[in-house]
Each structure stands twice: as C-alpha cells, then as structure tokens.
C-alpha cells in the first residue's frame, strides 16, 4: 500500500507527522521518529516568552548591582536572543544533516514584530518549512475580535515577504466565524493550516485550594472538533490542511484522511505508548487500506468530507437535535 503524501509541497513517506513537542527537541529523537515511520517532524517550538522571561530576570539582577543602563540592556537583549536562537538554529542544521524526512521548524510568538526576524534566520538555517503556532488569547477584553483577527493577516503578510520556504499556520478554533476565518487565512498564500492548537487547561484542586494542570495529554475523544472542521473545510480552502489533537491511533489518522487531510500530527499517544508505536500505526493504516481495497491515500482522501458526503447535514447542528430526540 502506498501511504506517501504531499504536504505544503513537501514529499512525505507517510501522512503521520510528529508534532512540536519534547519528542522532537533533539537529533537522536528525530532519528528514532524517522525510523518508526513518520513522514515529517515539527521541531519543538521556540517560544518568545522564554526569551522575554529570561531577559527580564537578567534585567532584575543587573539593575540591583549596576543601576539602570539602557545601552547595557540593549546589549543583553541582543546577546540573550542570539544565544537562544543559536541553539535552535543549530538543532535545525543538525536535524537536516541527521534525517532525510522533512524538518519543519516551529515558532510560537505573542508579539507580531518578532516573527519575521525569527523566521528569516530559521529559513537560512535550512528548515524545510515553518509552522507558525499562532494564538491570541480570547480573554483579552481590551481588544475587539476584528482587531485580534487583523493581527493574523499582518503577521502572515510580513512573513511571506520575508521567507521563501513553505509556511503553515497552526490555529485555534476561538474565532467568531471559524469557517470563514480558515478560508480567508488559506487565501493569504500560506501553504498549510493545522487544525487545531492544543493549550494548557487549568483544573482546581479542591483539597489544596489551588490551581493545577489538567489533561496534559489529549484523549481520543478530542478528535471530534478537528475532524468536524476538517470535513467541513476540505475542498473549500486554497492550501493543504493537516489535523492535530486527539489522534491516538491508525483509526484517527484514517478518519482525518477520509475527511480530507493531507497529513495528521500526533504527540500525546507517542508520549503514552513511546515512539516505536508509530510502526504499529503505520502498519494498521496499510492493513485497513488493503482490507478496503485502497492502493493509495488519494483513493480515499476526502471521501467523507462534507463536500463529498451523500448527506452533508451530518456535519451540522441538525444531527445533534435528532440524536437527543
């Protein structure tokens, strides 16, 4: 069975991409991922907050001993950014030398003016593509939704003028008109959109009376949101679509391809079952294809998308009403 695919113009040996995480932060781990059958890997994101927090700590220390010196702060700022970026650029270079699968860099920023400078250096380091992990908090009560959404397009426009490598956007589903937003983003010239981000979720410890992390890993049921929107947006966008969150086995991958995905990202299940589990996922995909008479992914990609479904309403609210009636 031919399980190769293309994503953002990149040739992938399989549709499974290992998403940005601690699983992709070293060349040794990337080699194991490739050996297990991954089509590509997204390197662990470089976070702007990491640089900002580290910078602020240094400012505090320096201000206590030498007083405020703006020129010195500017120097520290450049040095710190350079140190953090240097390590990331080295990872890209070493990854490209150590594996043959596509290596996708990942940037997670919160201030739009930083994106272009990060992206240019990452592209120059040899990354095959760049995934922008874009998210602006829906709890920002000082800005209108239209203002927040406008920032996405400003960042994309700036980035596409800066780099020539393929760019994908990993977005959330926190938009007032999600379908149209995905469509508009796909028309900017990006090569791919990943549905969807997964964020930290807080819980409350009722005994200690404190906030604690909750559901660090995704569960198979989390696939519902990305699957629905994958099926709805398939054939309605001008770029490739990839799925993320809740994909824990071959069935999850197959479902997304049936919905129209070019590729599918996995993370949580590999933390739980370890990297070699990818071999099982790949073999299960092949076995399913053989049983159903499919020779390639193209034979069934989008077969159950809303655009191709015999009953498109299965993806609409009406079915929810029928279920409970």
């Amino acid at each position: 069975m031919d399980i190769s695919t293309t994503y953002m113009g990149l040739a992938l040996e399989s549709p499974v991409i290992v998403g940005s995480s601690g699983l992709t932060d070293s060349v040794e781990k990337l080699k194991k991922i490739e050996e297990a059958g991954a089509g590509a890997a997204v390197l662990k994101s470089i976070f702007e907050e990491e640089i900002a927090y580290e910078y602020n700590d240094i400012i505090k220390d320096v201000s206590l001993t030498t007083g405020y010196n703006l020129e010195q702060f500017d120097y520290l700022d450049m040095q710190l950014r350079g140190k953090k970026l240097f390590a990331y650029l080295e990872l890209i270079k070493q990854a490209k030398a150590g594996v043959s699968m596509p290596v996708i860099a990942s940037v997670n920023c919160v201030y739009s003016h930083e994106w272009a400078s990060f992206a240019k250096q990452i592209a120059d380091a040899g990354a095959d593509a760049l995934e922008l992990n874009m998210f602006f908090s829906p709890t920002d009560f000082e800005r209108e939704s239209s203002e927040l959404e406008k920032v996405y397009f400003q960042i994309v426009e700036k980035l596409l003028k800066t780099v020539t490598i393929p760019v994908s956007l990993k977005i959330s589903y926190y938009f007032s008109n999600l379908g149209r937003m995905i469509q508009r983003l796909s028309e900017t010239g990006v090569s791919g959109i990943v549905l969807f981000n997964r964020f930290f979720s807080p819980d409350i410890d009722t005994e200690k009376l404190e906030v604690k992390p909750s559901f660090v890993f995704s569960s198979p049921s989390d696939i519902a949101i990305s699957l629905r929107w994958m099926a709805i947006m398939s054939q309605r966008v001008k770029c490739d679509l990839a799925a993320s969150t809740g994909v824990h086995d071959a069935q999850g991958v197959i479902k997304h391809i049936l919905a129209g995905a070019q590729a599918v990202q996995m993370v949580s299940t590999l933390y739980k079952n370890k990297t070699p589990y990818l071999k099982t996922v790949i073999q299960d995909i092949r076995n399913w294809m053989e049983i159903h008479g499919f020779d390639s992914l193209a034979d069934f990609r989008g077969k159950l998308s809303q655009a191709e479904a015999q009953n498109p309403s299965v993806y609409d609210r009406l079915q929810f009403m029928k279920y409970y009636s």
Side-chain angles (χ1 to χ4, degrees):
M1 303 298 105
D2 179 12
I3 63 168
S4 63
T5 187
T6 58
Y7 174 57
M8 295 197 291
L10 305 173
L12 277 60
E13 292 297 319
S14 83
V16 180
I17 297 175
V18 178
S20 174
S21 62
L23 298 170
T24 60
D25 64 0
S26 73
V27 179
E28 291 70 25
K29 293 178 183 178
L30 292 172
K31 288 180 178 179
K32 292 179 180 178
I33 286 169
E34 182 176 49
E35 182 184 351
V42 182
L43 298 182
K44 190 179 189 318
S45 292
I46 179 168
F47 284 78
E48 184 182 336
E49 292 95 329
E50 292 178 297
I51 297 173
Y53 293 156
E54 199 171 338
Y55 176 43
N56 288 337
D57 287 341
I58 288 181
I59 288 180
K60 291 177 183 177
D61 292 338
V62 173
S63 64
L64 290 174
T65 57
T66 65
Y68 290 94
N69 183 330
L70 294 180
E71 290 184 1
Q72 186 175 27
F73 289 164
D74 289 341
Y75 171 76
L76 285 170
D77 186 29
M78 292 178 63
Q79 288 292 99
L80 190 60
R81 289 170 189 270
K83 181 179 180 181
K84 197 75 178 181
L85 276 174
F86 178 78
Y88 197 71
L89 300 179
E90 281 300 302
L91 173 61
I92 295 172
K93 294 174 183 177
Q94 293 172 13
K96 286 300 299 174
V99 299
S100 58
M101 66 179 177
V103 174
I104 304 171
S106 176
V107 176
N108 191 317
C109 289
V110 292
Y111 303 109
S112 62
H113 68 277
E114 293 292 353
W115 291 69
S117 61
F118 286 167
K120 182 65 168 61
Q121 295 179 68
I122 285 170
D124 291 344
D128 294 298
L130 174 62
E131 180 178 281
L132 303 183
N133 200 324
M134 303 179 71
F135 178 68
F136 300 97
S137 176
T139 60
D140 186 346
F141 301 121
E142 301 302 319
R143 302 167 76 181
E144 297 295 329
S145 59
S146 58
E147 184 182 355
L148 288 171
E149 292 175 2
K150 188 177 180 180
V151 176
Y152 283 78
F153 296 96
Q154 292 173 340
I155 292 173
V156 171
E157 181 182 9
K158 188 174 183 179
L159 259 292
L160 294 181
K161 290 180 179 178
T162 304
V163 300
T164 57
I165 60 174
V167 174
S168 66
L169 310 178
K170 192 170 189 178
I171 63 173
S172 75
Y173 44 82
Y174 291 112
F175 292 103
S176 56
N177 188 350
L178 179 57
R180 181 57 185 144
M181 186 64 175
I182 294 173
Q183 205 168 49
R184 288 176 60 205
L185 288 172
S186 78
E187 295 166 354
T188 60
V190 296
S191 299
I193 296 178
V194 184
L195 311 177
F196 292 105
N197 270 326
R198 177 174 169 78
F199 302 104
F200 169 83
S201 295
D203 193 7
I204 292 179
D205 189 319
T206 57
E207 295 301 320
K208 295 181 179 180
L209 302 182
E210 61 184 25
V211 178
K212 64 178 183 179
S214 171
F215 309 113
V216 175
F217 296 128
S218 70
S219 66
S221 63
D222 290 331
I223 195 176
I225 295 177
S226 60
L227 187 62
R228 176 175 187 250
W229 283 99
M230 180 64 68
I232 291 173
M233 300 311 302
S234 178
Q235 300 184 41
R236 291 183 171 132
V237 293
K238 295 184 178 180
C239 68
D240 289 341
L241 293 177
S244 178
T245 302
V247 182
H248 282 244
D249 52 26
Q251 284 294 307
V253 177
I254 292 166
K255 288 177 182 180
H256 272 295
I257 295 174
L258 283 166
Q262 286 293 128
V264 179
Q265 295 189 7
M266 303 181 82
V267 173
S268 291
T269 190
L270 301 182
Y271 271 113
K272 294 177 180 179
N273 300 304
K274 308 306 179 185
T275 298
Y277 177 63
L278 262 176
K279 295 180 180 180
T280 300
V281 172
I282 298 299
Q283 188 56 51
D284 287 349
I285 294 172
R286 294 181 184 276
N287 292 342
W288 179 89
M289 289 173 62
E290 184 173 10
I291 291 171
H292 291 273
F294 296 123
D295 296 323
S296 69
L297 301 184
D299 291 342
F300 65 96
R301 178 176 288 113
K303 193 176 182 66
L304 294 180
S305 65
Q306 188 176 51
E308 297 292 332
Q310 294 181 351
N311 181 15
S313 67
V314 295
Y315 292 107
D316 293 331
R317 176 173 173 268
L318 181 62
Q319 292 302 308
F320 188 78
M321 296 168 63
K322 285 182 178 179
Y323 179 83
Y324 281 102
S325 65

